[in-house]
Amino acid sequence: MTGTTPGTPSLLRVMNDRAALDLLLEHGPLSRTRIGRLTGLSKPTASQLLARLEAAGLVVASGTAGGRPGPSAQLYGVNPRAAHVAGLDVTPGGIVAAVADLTGEVIGSHELPYAEGTGAVDRVTLALGGAVKDAGLQRSDIHRVVIATPGSFDPRTGALRYADHLPGWHSPTLLEELAAALPMPVEYENDVNLAAVAEQRLGAARGHGDFVLLWNEEGLGAALVLGGRLHRGWTGGAGEVGFLPVPGHPLVRQVTQVNSGGYQELAGVQAVPGMAAALGIGVPPGAAAAQPAGPGAGAAVTPLATPVATAVALLAQAAGHPEGANLLLLRQYATALATGIASLVAVLDPEIVVLSGAVTTAGGDPLRELVEAELADLAPSRPRLVSGTVRDRPVLRGALESALAATRDEVFDTSRR
């Protein structure tokens, strides 16, 4: 924070400004009187604060509050046009981009399927440009971009690790090329980490400082939030739980070459059809029907890869009729999932574990309850297991939330003005 000294009136003004802006984000448009009550400021001070924020372009008058005797009170809200951010969700199948205003409302989006022969930089700029155009903006209007990818960029080398299946993203100069192509600040984050950001800010993990999110679709991955902050590890690989050696499956060696590990083999999506077949359960008709594709998927649907579609169909069928062979399938798969979660719980001791991704979501409450019961036998502590509640493109939503948090810190700092 610049231009202020602790304890001075200028610092108090900056703190009051930020408190009022956060309240407007939380509650929506408020009257001067209501802002005064929520902040503890007097009416004259609240009036000065609103006048100051309106002059700075951070708040706008947004209608009046009716329904009471006497004159209607003027309402004020955060100016949605004060800043804009973008998020991109990069998967092997393509890129989904979205633009949000300062209040978090998505005002533009664009989907760009993967096309062989186009480079990563071109695909990023095309996807971003499409979302910006859809929002009726120019690229110069975007204050910050957060890009979600599988794996993570090694902070020491800049190389993308743990994502050999992502085409075109392994050039040693890629980050420099993207920085040259994009005029705004750009950040990169693991896709599962951003799903956890979405749950932390908007979903099942709100109010929880220590939690694990287990993602289960094409691969198993985890996000670790400790003390309210993402834990990424030395190379950015914290949470790559698919590589965990686990009981119940032979050791997998040279894991980075085979791009798999014991936990992935034991409890990954490809294990479900084998469990079902051993119990005499057939794959339901229409298993390859359209489903949300990839970690960021939501409203838009495309056919999933056969293993994911098959597992989703089998677990949804079992959860819909949890008896007989279906119940045995859910129990076996719950044991497999709990085996890896128990290792995470023993090391991290989280308050809650959030289950997310299409595969575990398909099992619903019956699967979640069975995993929780198994975990009670396998782990020294008993965190509460909850299902993720951000279902509409959680990775993309997390990218937007991450970009918004940094942008609001900058834009809402009135000491800079």
Side-chain angles (χ1 to χ4, degrees):
M1 191 174 292
T2 61
T4 61
T5 303
T8 63
S10 57
L11 175 62
L12 294 176
R13 281 196 297 271
V14 170
M15 293 172 64
N16 289 335
D17 290 347
R18 180 60 192 261
L21 289 164
D22 286 341
L23 286 169
L24 291 173
L25 285 173
E26 179 182 359
H27 295 280
L30 298 170
S31 67
R32 179 194 63 182
T33 301
R34 182 68 172 149
I35 290 173
R37 288 175 181 167
L38 290 171
T39 58
L41 299 175
S42 66
K43 287 185 178 179
T45 303
S47 294
Q48 293 170 5
L49 177 149
L50 286 169
R52 186 165 61 247
L53 295 179
E54 193 171 16
L58 295 176
V59 302
V60 291
S62 56
T64 57
R68 294 182 178 181
S72 298
Q74 178 68 61
L75 298 178
Y76 296 88
V78 170
N79 182 4
R81 297 183 180 86
H84 298 88
V85 301
L88 279 71
D89 180 17
V90 180
T91 68
I95 300 176
V96 180
V99 171
D101 63 31
L102 195 57
T103 68
E105 181 180 355
V106 174
I107 59 173
S109 62
H110 185 73
E111 297 188 39
L112 184 71
Y114 173 71
E116 203 167 335
T118 57
V121 175
D122 289 339
R123 293 198 295 274
V124 167
T125 54
L126 284 171
L128 177 61
V132 169
K133 181 179 179 181
D134 189 49
L137 301 173
Q138 303 294 322
R139 259 196 340 180
S140 58
D141 295 320
I142 305 300
H143 283 65
R144 183 177 299 271
V145 174
V146 172
I147 299 177
T149 68
S152 60
F153 287 94
D154 190 318
R156 299 170 299 169
T157 66
L160 183 64
R161 296 167 58 95
Y162 318 110
D164 291 343
H165 60 299
L166 192 64
W169 281 75
H170 298 277
S171 166
T173 61
L174 177 60
L175 296 186
E176 289 89 345
E177 293 171 22
L178 285 167
L182 300 175
M184 71 291 290
V186 181
E187 297 176 6
Y188 305 88
E189 185 59 85
N190 171 263
D191 50 6
V192 179
N193 283 351
L194 289 172
V197 169
E199 293 291 347
Q200 183 182 34
R201 295 184 180 276
L202 304 172
R206 288 189 74 174
H208 298 282
D210 293 274
F211 71 93
V212 170
L213 180 139
L214 182 70
W215 182 268
N216 190 2
E217 283 195 6
E218 288 85 354
L220 284 166
L224 318 177
V225 176
L226 307 175
R229 295 177 175 271
L230 283 168
H231 178 73
R232 299 176 177 85
W234 180 244
T235 66
E240 295 291 340
V241 295
F243 296 116
L244 273 174
V246 292
H249 192 277
L251 283 175
V252 178
R253 300 186 183 276
Q254 298 180 328
V255 293
T256 56
Q257 293 183 25
V258 299
N259 199 34
S260 187
Y263 189 37
Q264 179 64 43
E265 296 299 316
L266 179 70
V269 63
Q270 75 287 341
V272 177
M275 292 181 183
L279 293 167
I281 300 173
V283 177
Q291 298 283 348
V301 293
T302 55
L304 281 177
T306 299
V308 178
T310 301
V312 166
L314 286 166
L315 291 172
Q317 173 182 263
H321 303 280
E323 54 192 23
N326 282 338
L327 182 57
L328 289 175
L329 172 61
L330 292 173
R331 283 176 174 166
Q332 288 184 18
Y333 193 53
T335 299
L337 288 172
T339 299
I341 296 173
S343 296
L344 293 171
V345 169
V347 174
L348 301 172
D349 190 22
E351 184 180 359
I352 63 170
V353 175
V354 180
L355 301 178
S356 189
V359 177
T360 43
T361 298
D365 286 340
L367 179 61
R368 179 189 58 78
E369 291 168 1
L370 288 167
V371 174
E372 193 166 40
E374 280 291 279
L375 197 60
D377 281 345
L378 299 176
S381 61
R382 298 185 180 185
R384 187 163 56 94
L385 265 67
V386 299
S387 298
T389 58
V390 180
R391 302 289 175 86
D392 186 10
R393 298 194 183 279
V395 172
L396 187 61
R397 186 69 244 183
L400 291 171
E401 289 298 317
S402 180
L404 283 166
T407 298
R408 287 166 180 165
D409 283 344
E410 295 172 0
V411 174
F412 287 173
D413 183 0
T414 53
S415 69
R416 299 169 183 259
R417 298 175 183 270

